[in-house]
Amino acid sequence: MTDTKVYLLDGGSLVLDGFHVFWNKGPGGEVRFPVYSILIEHAEGRFLIDTGYDYDHVMKVLPFEKPQQTKEQTIPGALGLLGLEPKDIDVVFNSHFHFDHCGGNKYLPDAKKICHKTEVPQACKPEPFEILGYSDLSFSAEAAEARGLADQLLPGTTPANSTFEGVEGDFELAKGIKLFFTPGHSIGHYSLLVEFGSRKPILFTIDAAYTEQSLDTLNQASFHIDPVAGVRSMERVKQLAQDHEADLMFSHDMDNFKTYKTGTQFYG
Ligand code: 5PN
Ligand code: ZN
Ligand code: ZN
């Protein structure tokens, strides 16, 4: 049996004001933060958790987030560094459908797709304050149609190759790949725990905590559907890390990201 390996696919960076990163706390001013996807090489196949943002989408819809992304920081480019192609991915799991977590789904028409059962309906009919978050609908023919944004779809994107299996609650995607339901930031948000044969587990907070400071202070980002649920989810993430003696990795923390392994380096 092959040992599980985790590769972080560097997806470039974006800018938000500090009052968005640390809701009602700040300080204000530009904060540049990383975006990455998580590739898990597992005995049962290749699993990709999230797919980063699409540069052209951000330039068109949110240019004020000042995207910086090289060719090597796209999904095809980052897989290419590992000698892989998009068709080598068996399963895509999206933690939620904010644009910075689903922008590369379009490159993976043949993978099996899984997400929380409420996330596609939410992308189809977001709350008014969620419209920018759920602005890249290129991952789903159904959502793009529902929002009148079918022009976002790549030619060849069909309901058949962009349909999601909906899940709920905590569940194990494959042995040692555990998804924990951590709603609040979005309606169907998941955090990820990966267990290995010969090292500590890694708990990826995903957007339940953008940064280490967010978790330490229980201060979530300003984007959320239920901030109280968001605090409970951060408390849960802390407890899960303790219970599993896991290393924590944060979704959008530049100082920590600089210490993470990327490219051909891996965890496992
Ligand atoms: C990076 C970023 N920018 C804007 C939004 C938003 O409106 O909801 C989530 C989000 C982001 O993660
Ligand atoms: Zn998000
Ligand atoms: Zn995010």
Side-chain angles (χ1 to χ4, degrees):
M1 142 143 181
T2 19
D3 280 341
T4 297
K5 293 190 176 94
V6 165
Y7 294 87
L8 305 188
L9 308 187
D10 181 358
S13 61
L14 296 170
V15 163
L16 282 174
D17 188 82
F19 273 99
H20 283 303
V21 179
F22 303 106
W23 183 40
N24 286 348
K25 177 169 186 295
E30 287 195 354
V31 177
R32 183 165 285 282
F33 61 92
V35 172
Y36 64 93
S37 307
I38 302 156
L39 172 66
I40 307 171
E41 297 244 5
H42 187 276
E44 291 170 43
R46 287 194 187 91
F47 297 81
L48 183 58
I49 317 300
D50 292 342
T51 63
Y53 71 82
D54 182 273
Y55 180 86
D56 292 338
H57 173 80
V58 175
M59 282 307 285
K60 192 166 160 192
V61 177
L62 321 97
F64 46 86
E65 296 202 9
K66 303 182 180 177
Q68 291 182 353
Q69 185 183 68
T70 66
K71 281 261 167 353
E72 288 69 39
Q73 291 171 323
T74 64
I75 287 295
L79 289 173
L81 296 176
L82 306 176
L84 297 173
E85 295 180 42
K87 65 172 170 49
D88 297 322
I89 302 301
D90 300 298
V91 178
V92 173
F93 180 87
N94 289 99
S95 63
H96 64 304
F97 287 118
H98 286 163
F99 69 88
D100 53 321
H101 296 260
C102 65
N105 275 46
K106 60 172 75 71
Y107 300 115
L108 302 149
D110 302 323
K112 180 178 172 67
K113 314 265 180 353
I114 309 175
C115 65
H116 191 272
K117 66 175 187 176
T118 59
E119 277 287 326
V120 176
Q122 198 68 18
C124 291
K125 207 172 179 307
E127 296 295 341
F129 54 82
E130 296 183 297
I131 285 171
L132 268 190
Y134 291 108
S135 57
D136 186 345
L137 284 305
S138 62
F139 68 95
S140 164
E142 183 196 346
E145 292 288 346
R147 298 274 298 279
L149 296 168
D151 59 315
Q152 288 189 355
L153 298 172
L154 276 190
T157 304
T158 65
N161 68 25
S162 64
T163 294
F164 286 77
E165 180 185 321
V167 294
E168 60 185 314
D170 301 342
F171 77 105
E172 197 161 3
L173 192 55
K175 194 173 181 334
I177 306 181
K178 296 179 177 173
L179 277 307
F180 290 97
F181 184 49
T182 50
H185 173 74
S186 76
I187 195 161
H189 184 275
Y190 275 105
S191 302
L192 166 72
L193 182 87
V194 184
E195 295 172 336
F196 300 87
S198 53
R199 61 150 287 145
K200 286 172 81 175
I202 302 175
L203 177 53
F204 293 92
T205 61
I206 318 284
D207 282 358
Y210 278 26
T211 71
E212 184 172 7
Q213 187 189 320
S214 314
L215 197 61
D216 286 346
T217 60
L218 297 179
N219 181 259
Q220 66 203 288
S222 68
F223 313 111
H224 40 64
I225 185 142
D226 181 342
V228 176
V231 177
R232 297 291 93 78
S233 287
M234 286 199 283
E235 291 168 341
R236 181 158 192 234
V237 162
K238 280 192 182 186
Q239 190 64 48
L240 287 166
Q242 268 191 31
D243 293 349
H244 294 265
E245 297 183 39
D247 285 336
L248 274 161
M249 297 183 81
F250 302 91
S251 59
H252 298 308
D253 182 327
M254 189 59 97
D255 290 341
N256 274 304
F257 185 73
K258 286 176 178 162
T259 72
Y260 294 171
K261 297 177 182 180
T262 57
T264 56
Q265 296 185 69
F266 60 87
Y267 296 91

